Amino acid sequence: YELDLCSARWFHAITMTLKLYNLKTDFLAKGDGQKVSGTISINNGSVSFNVSASLFVTGDVGKTIGFTTSDLDVNGRPVRFSSTIATRPSPTQITLHDTFTGTSLVSSVQTVEWGTDDAPAFDAFNAAALAWQASHPGDTFELVLDAGIFELATVTGASGHFVAGIKNILV
């Protein structure tokens, strides 16, 4: 009988409400980010961004791109530049949507990151999770992040943090 009681408790714990979200299938995140260290060149006041290796494909147009500049902010930290890819004239050259304003980088080795901006998917997840949690207080839920690199240009909801206000989450 004691064994049955333990089994019953174990079964009850497993059948408690558990909500499962998948960022890609439920909220259409792409997770298609790329992160490459390479030699880049871009001049102050330019939108023409060049790399020494064939990195870019036509499908990269519209994706968010970012890299660290050689400039420092008021706290002495490197400034990060972000934009979107407007065109791809060649595998080694893209045209940025925004003009680069900073010290020109000529044959500078930098880490460049680009991919679909998944911030809207994270915002949608946060809104759905908070709504679900309001009607299921104390219950646990899970967020599945499939393999990939998720780019977050700006998470507008959730005060800039995709887990803001969420409790009992397993990622």
Side-chain angles (χ1 to χ4, degrees):
Y1 180 77
E2 192 171 348
L3 182 60
D4 289 339
L5 182 58
C6 289
S7 297
R9 281 189 201 145
W10 178 77
F11 179 76
H12 176 69
I14 288 196
T15 59
M16 285 176 40
T17 304
L18 175 68
K19 181 70 175 169
L20 177 67
Y21 290 112
N22 182 300
L23 199 63
K24 284 186 175 180
T25 58
D26 294 330
F27 303 103
L28 306 179
K30 298 290 184 198
D32 63 356
Q34 305 281 326
K35 185 175 183 177
V36 177
S37 182
T39 304
I40 69 168
S41 295
I42 187 166
N43 291 317
N44 181 36
S46 178
V47 293
S48 180
F49 181 86
N50 298 284
V51 293
S52 60
S54 295
L55 299 178
F56 302 110
V57 298
T58 54
D60 289 333
V61 172
K63 293 182 179 179
T64 301
I65 186 166
F67 58 91
T68 302
T69 72
S70 59
D71 299 316
L72 301 177
D73 68 12
V74 294
N75 297 315
R77 294 184 298 241
V79 174
R80 182 158 176 80
F81 179 78
S82 294
S83 186
T84 54
I85 300 172
T87 64
R88 179 209 161 257
S90 77
T92 60
Q93 182 186 24
I94 56 172
T95 305
L96 302 174
H97 180 265
D98 302 295
T99 302
F100 176 69
T101 54
T103 302
S104 295
L105 299 168
V106 180
S107 298
S108 176
V109 176
Q110 300 291 337
T111 299
V112 180
E113 299 174 66
W114 71 99
T116 302
D117 181 7
D118 288 322
F122 280 97
D123 286 340
F125 157 74
N126 182 272
L130 289 173
W132 183 83
Q133 214 167 37
S135 61
H136 298 85
D139 287 344
T140 301
F141 66 95
E142 183 175 345
L143 172 62
V144 176
L145 296 174
D146 294 329
I149 298 174
F150 296 88
E151 292 293 325
L152 297 169
T154 50
V155 177
T156 54
S159 303
H161 303 282
F162 81 92
V163 293
I166 299 172
K167 297 175 178 58
N168 300 332
I169 181 173
L170 174 65
V171 179

